[in-house]
Amino acid sequence: MSKYYLTTAIDYANGAPHIGHTFEKVLADAMARFQRLRGVDTWFQMGMDEHGLKVEQTAEAQGVDPQTFCDAMAETYLRAWRALDLSFDAFVRTSDPLHMKGVQALFTRFHDNGDIFKGNYEGLYCVGCEAYYQEKDLLDGKCPVHHTEPKKVKEENYFFALSKYGERLLRHIEAHPEFIEPEMRRNEVTNVIRSGLDDISVSRASVKWGVPLPMDPSQTIYVWIDALLNYATFVGLSQHDDATRAMWARWWPADCHVVGKDITRFHCIIWPAMLMSAGVELPRSIYAHGWIMSSDGGKLSKTAGNVVDPVVVGEELRKAAGEGLAEALMHEPLRYFLLREVPAGRDGEFSWDLLVERYNADLANELGNLLNRALSMTHRYFGGTLDGESGPAEPLDLELQAVASDVIPKYTRAMSTWQFSAAMQETWRLIKRANQYVQETEPWTLARDPANRARLVRVLATLLESIRIAAALVAPAMPRSAARIGSDLGLSWPSPHALKDLEWSPRLFALGHTVGAAVVLFPRVQAPKPAQA
Ligand code: MSP
């Protein structure tokens, strides 16, 4: 069975998850679900980056030790990610002793290969990024991401010989362009490598909250080295027993690391160089997504006070929908919004108004309405059970079928290449066409004359089939809604491999098929923007 190992960046434990983190996790979750639904054995890993100065300082400011602080933060993250139905197979935490042992073992390997040396470091450090900056990369003397002045750091540190790996990295990227997607980010990274790589400082003398250096426990390993290694340590890198050996053989190399555009240098330069040093195969690809910005085009940040809690968004949406939106489904519209609204690889915007607009247009008016119409007509004209012979397919039926058959491969191509917005647009092409089919076939007119009964069976079966296909296509984005639609259609669905060999088959809905009661899955929202969202 083919396999797919997918990771997200692990989030800094210093603050609660916001809509930007949510965007990345939802992208990855949609991909993981897409792979599973087409029958690919998938390992989806995400988690928390717990070490380093930033977390140490935040915990200290709250008067708790960093471990206690991280334990509480892990609860906050897991609560949010479970509410959003993220289907991770592992939630990693870098304070896990097994991971820390793995980091030390790898560091020793770099050292044994002659890639670690001692030197004096003097540079500018941004705690927000947990990264060093060169003067030329600052904007008006400030970090371009956090707009704060980096701190001067002067320490005796251990260095990693990154400069040795520039040529090999370039050759690898040339031979495997898919290693960095999209192309825009690949070009940025190759430009950085071409301009020459400096050796990097990989330990900190002044940071206590981290993995002690094996050859000098008075220092801790630079938090980025520790964090990057999670991708390998949690899938059995140590290979110390049968279980870890089997995991490593099954999952490594990673098929894709999903990360934000701000951290490509760490993932596309430092990480592969470390793997080269350790003699470990490189991951197959790194996909860098854009950022979610606030509606004024600004960055979401705690200081700007525009950080959006994803869980609150769903709760507020439910209230605004007059509680008619089921609790189990209240976080699905945000998932859909993030996938539909942001063009692949680009930045996107989040605002309550945009969310409501998208929700009303696509979920309430199109998908929800389609389901409601199909179920209520099946009940009105057949008591919920389609019976009797189905008439032959007519041109309108074949047109709808042709749209579905055209949408499926286009959707599949788009999903396979992270073009989720395009994939959702394809799906809605089918949904809109199905709503139009209802207008064109006028089941209410057919129902007036019993002589049309066989035709009416055919029309409703065709309609229900288009909804079955749409629900399968929607499943990676809105898994709970898809499952709910499946059961409303009277199917034991979704099958674990609903996207494998998906094809048009209206026979499912004829001859005695019973559907559930008519429902309004997504009631329209009229309410104005709530204060918290
Ligand atoms: N801890 C590091 C990653 C280590 S991975 C070995 C880190 N953490 S972070 O919490 O700052 O960011 C985690 C991920 O969220 C990154 O991929 C980052 O790009 C992403 N995002 C943070 N804010 C974002 C938006 N506003 N929009 C989209 N993604 C954003 O970096």
Side-chain angles (χ1 to χ4, degrees):
M1 196 186 199
S2 55
K3 70 95 184 168
Y4 194 82
Y5 170 30
L6 172 71
T7 68
T8 68
I10 51 173
D11 304 317
Y12 286 126
N14 68 302
H18 60 57
I19 210 96
H21 303 124
T22 308
F23 172 59
E24 175 175 287
K25 300 339 177 217
V26 168
L27 287 183
D29 187 59
M31 180 57 95
R33 288 178 181 277
F34 171 68
Q35 296 294 352
R36 289 189 200 109
L37 287 166
R38 6 161 31 196
V40 177
D41 196 12
T42 300
W43 182 262
F44 172 28
Q45 181 167 302
M46 41 189 273
M48 255 174 37
D49 187 355
E50 301 192 346
H51 289 135
L53 193 56
K54 178 147 119 167
V55 174
E56 187 176 86
Q57 286 179 347
T58 313
E60 193 180 280
Q62 298 194 7
V64 284
D65 68 280
Q67 188 65 65
T68 310
F69 175 80
C70 289
D71 290 348
M73 198 49 93
E75 290 304 311
T76 306
Y77 268 88
L78 284 168
R79 214 174 306 123
W81 296 155
R82 287 191 181 122
L84 278 134
D85 209 3
L86 301 179
S87 60
F88 47 86
D89 297 288
F91 186 80
V92 313
R93 300 184 50 191
T94 51
S95 59
D96 184 314
L98 266 181
H99 164 76
M100 292 173 62
K101 261 178 79 179
V103 171
Q104 289 183 321
L106 249 277
F107 207 90
T108 306
R109 253 204 251 177
F110 306 152
H111 187 257
D112 294 348
N113 289 346
D115 283 338
I116 299 291
F117 61 93
K118 212 170 183 178
N120 283 307
Y121 192 81
E122 192 172 346
L124 298 161
Y125 195 79
C126 169
V127 182
C129 294
E130 292 281 16
Y132 295 101
Y133 275 95
Q134 295 193 338
E135 207 88 56
K136 67 174 170 58
D137 297 323
L138 301 177
L139 285 178
D140 298 329
K142 294 186 173 162
C143 159
V145 182
H146 293 89
H147 309 294
T148 49
E149 267 181 41
K151 250 182 69 186
K152 265 219 163 70
V153 172
K154 196 175 170 186
E155 283 182 356
E156 184 171 57
N157 283 164
Y158 289 80
F159 283 70
F160 176 74
L162 185 64
S163 58
K164 259 171 66 176
Y165 292 96
E167 274 307 311
R168 260 179 86 183
L169 283 169
L170 279 178
R171 278 203 303 278
H172 184 80
I173 298 167
E174 261 160 40
H176 307 278
E178 74 289 352
F179 183 62
I180 307 172
E181 298 282 6
E183 192 186 351
M184 178 182 29
R185 304 294 166 211
R186 187 186 318 138
N187 294 339
E188 279 174 12
V189 169
T190 47
N191 286 340
V192 172
I193 304 175
R194 285 207 182 94
S195 71
L197 297 178
D198 292 328
D199 295 337
I200 53 166
S201 154
V202 287
S203 71
R204 294 298 306 274
S206 53
V207 178
K208 295 281 156 281
W209 178 234
V211 181
L213 225 69
M215 64 284 306
D216 180 354
S218 73
Q219 302 221 358
T220 53
I221 294 175
Y222 176 37
V223 60
W224 264 102
I225 306 296
D226 166 2
L228 286 162
L229 279 167
N230 93 83
Y231 301 136
T233 53
F234 283 92
V235 288
L237 173 76
S238 63
Q239 300 176 71
H240 67 274
D241 57 13
D242 285 350
T244 47
R245 273 191 290 276
M247 267 203 109
W248 187 249
R250 180 76 190 121
W251 300 114
W252 196 260
D255 291 270
C256 190
H257 296 308
V258 182
V259 300
K261 62 178 184 179
D262 55 320
I263 54 175
T264 51
R265 292 182 192 199
F266 293 100
H267 284 83
C268 306
I269 299 177
I270 298 178
W271 174 227
M274 282 160 54
L275 292 172
M276 284 172 177
S277 170
V280 176
E281 196 178 339
L282 303 194
R284 300 226 161 89
S285 78
I286 292 134
Y287 174 74
H289 60 76
W291 266 41
I292 297 291
M293 313 302 273
S294 66
S295 44
D296 58 8
K299 197 176 161 291
L300 301 171
S301 73
K302 264 182 248 152
T303 23
N306 57 5
V307 177
V308 182
D309 177 343
V311 177
V312 172
V313 171
E315 288 165 353
E316 291 297 334
L317 194 69
R318 177 155 190 265
K319 277 190 215 148
E323 314 271 315
L325 174 63
E327 208 170 333
L329 303 188
M330 70 184 168
H331 299 295
E332 303 254 300
L334 175 62
R335 292 179 54 112
Y336 171 68
F337 173 88
L338 293 170
L339 295 168
R340 168 62 182 82
E341 202 70 13
V342 185
R346 310 235 151 240
D347 289 345
E349 199 183 297
F350 175 83
S351 75
W352 175 258
D353 291 345
L354 285 174
L355 173 70
V356 167
E357 207 176 293
R358 187 55 71 198
Y359 170 88
N360 280 336
D362 292 5
L363 301 183
N365 293 358
E366 295 288 356
L367 177 57
N369 186 34
L370 179 65
L371 178 70
N372 182 269
R373 285 167 111 183
L375 297 179
S376 47
M377 289 191 295
T378 312
H379 278 275
R380 196 168 318 130
Y381 308 136
F382 292 94
T385 301
L386 284 182
D387 58 5
E389 280 305 306
S390 163
E394 294 191 5
L396 280 176
D397 316 336
L398 295 173
E399 263 177 52
L400 182 56
Q401 176 177 350
V403 172
S405 306
D406 185 46
V407 159
I408 294 170
K410 289 187 174 143
Y411 162 95
T412 305
R413 252 194 315 279
M415 288 296 292
S416 313
T417 52
W418 298 94
Q419 321 270 324
F420 294 139
S421 179
M424 292 303 117
Q425 287 175 57
E426 281 299 321
T427 307
W428 259 257
R429 187 154 69 83
L430 171 61
I431 293 169
K432 286 179 181 162
R433 188 65 189 78
N435 269 320
Q436 195 186 326
Y437 174 83
V438 177
Q439 295 309 119
E440 291 165 345
T441 51
E442 297 188 16
W444 47 91
T445 309
L446 294 173
R448 282 194 212 124
D449 184 349
N452 295 328
R453 199 161 171 89
R455 174 70 192 138
L456 194 54
V457 169
R458 164 65 72 167
V459 166
L460 290 181
T462 304
L463 193 58
L464 292 169
E465 173 61 4
S466 69
I467 300 175
R468 181 186 75 93
I469 302 260
L473 302 179
V474 151
M478 297 195 291
R480 291 182 185 171
S481 309
R484 174 69 201 270
I485 295 171
S487 71
D488 287 342
L489 291 178
L491 300 170
S492 53
W493 193 92
S495 71
H497 297 160
L499 290 174
K500 196 176 174 193
D501 308 322
L502 179 66
E503 60 180 28
W504 186 267
S505 163
R507 285 176 306 279
L508 272 178
F509 291 103
L511 293 178
H513 186 88
T514 301
V515 299
V519 283
V520 177
L521 273 197
F522 303 110
R524 275 187 72 83
V525 165
Q526 254 112 25
K529 177 183 187 300
Q532 303 92 310

